[in-house]
Amino acid sequence: MFFLVFAAIGAAAAQMSVTLLTLSLKANQIDASDATSILALVSGAAGIVSLVGLPIIGRLSDQTRSRAGRRRPFLLAAAAAFSVGAVTMIVANDAWSLMLANLAFTLGSVCAGVSTTALIADQLPSNRRGLPSALISLSTPVGALVGIGLSQPFGTSIVALVLIPTLMAVAGLVSLTVFLHDPQVTQERRPFSFLEVIGVFWVNPLRYPGFALAFASRMLVFSGVAALNTFQAIYLIDNFGFAPKDLGQAILLTVLINTVVSLLVAPLMGSLSDRLGRRKPFVVIAATILAVGLLMAASAETFAFYLVALVVIAVGQGVYFSVELALATQVLPDPENPAKDLALINVANNLPVSIVATVSPAILAIGATANDAKNFSALFIAGAISALIGSLAIAFIRRVR
């Protein structure tokens, strides 16, 4: 469990440092006047790669029959992709090279996420997945905090911002590869035909309604989170007047709030959910709290009030992270081969990035004026509505209490 969490945190440190800070700084360096468009392009492409890559890599992992096991090869692939992404990110000097760098980081995150999430279902019974699921889910805010925090002494140095989290990711993934008990699967491998490739993107919602509802809920809730995370750096610059040189400390403070609150809430809620044998009420309450926080962020006129909104959002995320993944493992169509279906669930983490990137220009333009060219309040309100709808979807799942 230690090395599993270490690997998940390291991968999140590499990915989230890029998402929350490095991409915005690089986009601002490339073209400050058009940074949001560059971010939308780069983030949208990454979302598409996640959408395509997660189920395919999950299926390939389930069907791997190597002597090293079925998860180890993809842990090493993640480490390699992060390394390539780091080098490309450092030398990127236009939107297209920045996109390629981010795609490599995205591929690394996909391979790491598929492997670490599948190991929960591989090695733990359903009634003991609450706490481990909370710890793995918390790897995102914890990784963001550690990755950005370790880089702060180096200011806005892109080299440090990229290399430090990437080295942590590689160390965590390689360590898990060494210490993991991942026995070779001897069951006969099914052919991986063209139709099978198409099939990895589909789970019949009529046959598996619980899985479909869990997917829809996560996609809607994470759309609310993506509305904030994708544009937070630009929002702080435009609305609160942060200079690029001060942006790292501001982002670190927001990540610190998110991580500390989530760490206080998620393990307790995960253990309580295991003890009570209930998942649905926790998820519904969490998504509702998150929506309230987004509405507060939409009305923030000062950075201090924005931080209060982030506390509320972090409470919602902490409760959501603690239970929702455990709920998803209980509605899998094929529990013996969990990686592909859990990867589809993780698509719901990444698809919102593409959705937000696609619709955000239109939403940001609502009511825009010469003095206020981007309506971030409208974007955050849309995110809150999405999270509320996501909370309602969970209520209709029948197989889980």
Side-chain angles (χ1 to χ4, degrees):
M1 183 61 68
F2 170 81
F3 290 106
L4 178 65
V5 174
F6 179 26
I9 290 175
Q15 180 64 41
M16 294 304 295
S17 295
V18 167
T19 300
L20 292 175
L21 183 57
T22 312
L23 277 181
S24 294
L25 290 175
K26 292 288 286 189
N28 215 49
Q29 288 177 5
I30 292 169
D31 187 352
S33 65
D34 201 27
T36 54
S37 297
I38 293 174
L39 278 177
L41 173 68
V42 172
S43 299
I48 293 171
V49 168
S50 294
L51 172 64
V52 174
L54 275 164
I56 290 180
I57 290 175
R59 174 69 169 83
L60 289 172
S61 180
D62 281 338
Q63 294 300 307
T64 296
R65 298 295 182 262
S66 73
R67 293 183 179 180
R70 55 179 180 170
R71 310 305 178 200
R72 277 197 185 95
F74 294 90
L75 292 169
L76 293 176
F82 280 131
S83 301
V84 172
V87 174
T88 311
M89 181 71 68
I90 290 170
V91 301
N93 57 7
D94 56 35
W96 299 107
S97 57
L98 186 63
M99 178 191 295
L100 290 176
N102 194 43
L103 291 179
F105 272 97
T106 301
L107 182 60
S109 179
V110 166
C111 289
V114 164
S115 303
T116 54
T117 305
L119 285 170
I120 296 176
D122 284 348
Q123 304 196 13
L124 293 169
S126 61
N127 63 345
R128 291 180 53 202
R129 294 175 187 169
L131 180 58
S133 296
L135 293 174
I136 293 298
S137 296
L138 280 172
S139 64
T140 298
V142 172
L145 175 63
V146 173
I148 295 175
L150 291 177
S151 307
Q152 277 310 290
F154 301 93
T156 57
S157 168
I158 297 296
V159 174
L161 288 172
V162 171
L163 285 185
I164 292 174
T166 300
L167 289 173
M168 183 178 175
V170 172
L173 291 163
V174 172
S175 297
L176 179 58
T177 301
V178 171
F179 290 97
L180 174 65
H181 176 64
D182 186 22
Q184 180 181 5
V185 176
T186 57
Q187 159 186 2
E188 184 178 352
R189 179 170 51 193
R190 298 200 305 267
F192 199 42
S193 63
F194 176 75
L195 290 178
E196 179 72 9
V197 172
I198 302 301
V200 299
F201 298 98
W202 171 255
V203 170
N204 190 328
L206 298 178
R207 187 175 180 185
Y208 304 105
F211 182 86
L213 288 167
F215 178 92
S217 174
R218 177 176 279 224
M219 186 181 70
L220 290 164
V221 171
F222 273 72
S223 292
V225 176
L228 183 71
N229 286 345
T230 302
F231 293 99
Q232 178 175 246
I234 303 299
Y235 174 68
L236 295 181
I237 292 173
D238 288 359
N239 279 46
F240 301 125
F242 280 92
K245 66 182 180 64
D246 300 322
L247 190 59
Q249 291 183 349
I251 293 292
L252 178 60
L253 179 57
T254 65
V255 172
L256 179 64
I257 290 172
N258 185 288
T259 304
V260 170
V261 174
S262 296
L263 279 173
L264 291 174
V265 171
L268 292 175
M269 294 298 102
S271 297
L272 181 60
S273 176
D274 279 347
R275 190 175 302 117
L276 296 177
R278 291 183 176 273
R279 310 292 191 200
K280 289 162 57 175
F282 289 87
V283 177
V284 172
I285 292 170
T288 303
I289 294 173
L290 194 150
V292 171
L294 284 168
L295 291 174
M296 293 174 63
S299 62
E301 296 184 356
T302 65
F303 183 58
F305 188 81
Y306 177 72
L307 294 179
V308 174
L310 290 186
V311 172
V312 178
I313 292 171
V315 171
Q317 283 185 331
V319 180
Y320 192 87
F321 286 158
S322 69
V323 177
E324 194 272 343
L325 179 58
L327 182 150
T329 65
Q330 295 178 239
V331 293
L332 296 176
D334 184 4
E336 296 300 318
N337 294 286
K340 189 270 285 187
D341 294 320
L342 284 175
L344 277 175
I345 288 291
N346 280 328
V347 165
N349 298 8
N350 297 277
L351 183 58
V353 176
S354 293
I355 294 173
V356 170
T358 301
V359 304
S360 59
I363 297 176
L364 288 169
I366 295 174
T369 64
N371 295 326
D372 187 9
K374 305 180 189 73
N375 189 348
F376 286 103
S377 293
L379 184 64
F380 297 161
I381 291 171
I385 294 171
S386 180
L388 285 172
I389 297 173
S391 71
L392 296 176
I394 289 293
F396 293 96
I397 296 178
R398 295 181 179 179
R399 290 172 51 189
V400 181
R401 296 174 64 191

